Amino acid sequence: FLQANQDPTDPRTLLVNLGLVLILGQILVWHYQRFSPVLSNKRKFSRVFVFIAATTMLVITVVQRSLALSLGLVGALSIIRFRTPIKEPEELAYLFLAIGLGLGLGANQHVVTVLVFVVVLGYMALVSSGKGNGLPPRLLVHLSGTIAGAGQSTESTLREVLKTAEEGATRVDLRRIDTEGANFNATLVLDLERAEQVGPLLTRLEKALPGSSISVVEGNSLE
């Protein structure tokens, strides 16, 4: 079954290819959920990997021995438009890997496909683990509240918030600020030296803007 010159439409060969694509596709799903740093719903997005790989394998298996079917496939694909936005470049890389998995197995290139698949996932896991150990905790902080008290202004409140955020942080990046009357909203990206500093940071921000609402999201994938 590891020979590339076998007929891919043979039932036994087809079952072997289908079994491999389902197993390797599920490994790809696990790898994406475990090592990908993207902020989107990874469980929901990764469910399509197995479907994409299996569908690609089916298409390649059917058309590779027929020139007429191949030309028909080109015409059919030319009218397909994908509207789903890809928010993270790494999501696109996993999608291409799923497509490559289906292409390789559909063409009966078992050894090459499995070897490249394992090496790529191993490298990505190694790089992701290295990033997790080498980068400081990065947080996306959204602060929302009302400016109150005599002498308080947007400028003084912003200065106090930034000063408070800089305590214990190696980097403070102001991404957005919105004001309307006494309403104050700010979005910051912070690099902390240790994860244990998150609690004291929240306490200081609450003192800088009393009665505020604070939202914190992990942001190691942000640049």
Side-chain angles (χ1 to χ4, degrees):
F1 291 111
L2 297 179
Q3 297 179 0
N5 58 357
Q6 289 183 333
D7 183 5
T9 59
D10 177 73
R12 297 174 62 190
T13 304
L14 183 61
L15 288 177
V16 170
N17 291 341
L18 183 59
L20 282 174
V21 81
L22 293 178
I23 294 173
L24 296 178
Q26 195 59 46
I27 293 175
L28 183 64
V29 171
W30 172 84
H31 189 282
Y32 175 77
Q33 295 178 357
R34 172 63 179 82
F35 294 103
S36 178
V38 301
L39 298 177
S40 61
N41 190 337
K42 294 193 288 187
R43 184 176 300 275
K44 181 178 179 181
F45 182 77
S46 62
R47 289 187 302 179
V48 304
F49 292 163
V50 177
F51 296 143
I52 290 177
T55 303
T56 305
M57 189 209 76
L58 172 63
V59 172
I60 297 302
T61 300
V62 171
V63 306
Q64 68 171 318
R65 292 185 179 273
S66 172
L67 178 61
L69 289 176
S70 301
L71 294 176
L73 176 65
V74 173
L77 292 180
S78 66
I79 64 174
I80 296 176
R81 298 293 184 269
F82 296 97
R83 300 299 184 185
T84 302
I86 301 300
K87 299 180 181 179
E88 300 281 353
E90 194 161 348
E91 293 179 349
L92 189 61
Y94 276 94
L95 287 175
F96 271 111
L97 189 55
I99 294 173
L101 180 63
L103 288 173
L105 295 178
N108 263 7
Q109 302 295 330
H110 302 94
V111 176
V112 174
T113 302
V114 174
L115 180 61
V116 173
F117 181 81
V118 171
V119 171
V120 170
L121 289 191
Y123 173 78
M124 294 173 67
L126 183 63
V127 171
S128 298
S129 300
K131 285 184 177 181
N133 294 331
L135 290 177
R138 178 168 293 178
L139 303 178
L140 178 65
V141 181
H142 180 73
L143 187 68
S144 177
T146 302
I147 302 174
Q152 293 292 327
S153 64
T154 300
E155 181 181 355
S156 60
T157 301
L158 178 60
R159 187 184 303 113
E160 183 65 23
V161 168
L162 293 178
K163 180 181 178 181
T164 301
E166 289 173 354
E167 298 180 21
T170 59
R171 174 193 174 195
V172 177
D173 185 5
L174 178 63
R175 292 295 179 93
R176 178 171 179 173
I177 179 171
D178 298 295
T179 61
E180 182 178 357
N183 296 324
F184 178 88
N185 296 274
T187 301
L188 309 170
V189 175
L190 307 178
D191 284 345
L192 302 181
E193 297 176 354
R194 300 183 308 276
E196 293 78 8
Q197 296 175 317
V198 176
L201 171 66
L202 297 179
T203 301
R204 294 195 303 270
L205 289 176
E206 290 175 351
K207 292 181 179 179
L209 189 62
S212 60
S213 173
I214 304 175
S215 175
V216 178
V217 179
E218 186 274 333
N220 277 330
S221 62
L222 299 174
E223 293 296 340

